[in-house]
Amino acid sequence: FKGTPYVLEALKNLKTDKKITILTCEHKGLLDEVKDKFNVRDLGLIKDKEMILAMNACDIFLMPSIGENAGLMALEAMVCSKPVVIFNNTGLPYVTHAPECGYLVKNRDSDDLRKAIIDLIEHKEEREKRGKLGKKIVEKEYSNEKYYESLRKLYREVYKRKRKPKKEK
């Protein structure tokens, strides 16, 4: 459900003169079909510290998931100032503030995904703009203080509801 078949198809049809290294995590061998075309580094199952290093090593983060709720990995990529490429079918457009920040691609469309990858490869200023905006969004909307404030607000609302007398029938 992370969209790997669409990534693979997009990469098979990707044409560029730029040297590209692709980092994958968790499952190894998923992109073996494009190893002759790109430098594919399968990192396997990695720890949080290694994930941060991997996120910071990349220029673009692909997350064309077909079934995502919260999108924690998208937020992690954004806090590392990386543009996130997503399908338009889940909660990810909301989380990534697409299309201004997150790069929106048609659902299950590997050709549109390929075009997004090319666009971000070819336009460094666009990559950097989206990356910087993503970091600002995460710092503003997903900070610990923002989280704690939303919890406080929720508790206050629940408390008020419990204190209201029940209407008699």
Side-chain angles (χ1 to χ4, degrees):
F1 78 95
K2 292 293 185 183
T4 307
Y6 305 102
V7 171
L8 182 58
E9 191 63 29
L11 293 174
K12 283 183 190 178
N13 296 312
L14 188 75
K15 291 178 179 37
T16 182
D17 295 334
K18 308 250 185 201
K19 291 184 180 184
I20 296 175
T21 297
I22 300 167
L23 302 178
T24 71
C25 60
E26 200 166 322
H27 303 287
K28 292 184 176 187
L30 295 175
L31 300 180
D32 281 352
E33 289 182 56
V34 294
K35 276 191 170 183
D36 59 329
K37 192 173 181 181
F38 304 108
N39 180 19
V40 178
R41 301 287 181 167
D42 289 322
L43 303 176
L45 194 57
I46 58 177
K47 297 178 180 166
D48 289 344
K49 288 181 182 179
E50 295 164 320
M51 182 61 78
I52 292 168
L53 292 173
M55 291 270 191
N56 280 300
C58 74
D59 292 317
I60 302 166
F61 187 76
L62 302 179
M63 194 170 178
S65 176
I66 58 171
E68 200 71 45
N69 289 332
L72 183 58
M73 288 188 77
L75 293 173
E76 291 169 340
M78 290 167 68
V79 84
C80 292
S81 299
K82 306 305 170 186
V84 181
V85 180
I86 56 169
F87 282 154
N88 65 354
N89 66 323
T90 65
L92 289 174
Y94 173 78
V95 170
T96 64
H97 289 243
E100 295 81 25
C101 182
Y103 202 111
L104 208 52
V105 173
K106 291 179 212 154
N107 186 32
R108 299 174 189 243
D109 188 333
S110 58
D111 191 53
D112 204 28
L113 180 58
R114 179 193 59 79
K115 290 174 187 174
I117 295 167
I118 284 291
D119 191 36
L120 290 171
I121 287 172
E122 298 295 328
H123 299 98
K124 180 180 179 182
E125 62 286 340
E126 184 67 19
R127 273 194 327 262
E128 290 175 350
K129 180 187 93 170
R130 288 176 185 265
K132 287 176 185 174
L133 179 57
K135 184 170 182 146
K136 284 180 187 176
I137 288 168
V138 172
E139 288 172 344
K140 180 182 175 197
E141 296 185 13
Y142 297 97
S143 68
N144 284 339
E145 187 52 44
K146 186 87 170 172
Y147 173 72
Y148 298 141
E149 181 54 39
S150 67
L151 279 179
R152 285 189 289 270
K153 182 179 175 184
L154 174 65
Y155 290 143
R156 283 193 288 277
E157 288 174 13
V158 170
Y159 179 75
K160 284 178 188 175
R161 279 189 225 147
K162 292 286 184 187
R163 297 211 22 141
K164 285 185 181 177
K166 293 182 182 177
K167 293 181 181 178
E168 293 189 32
K169 293 182 182 180

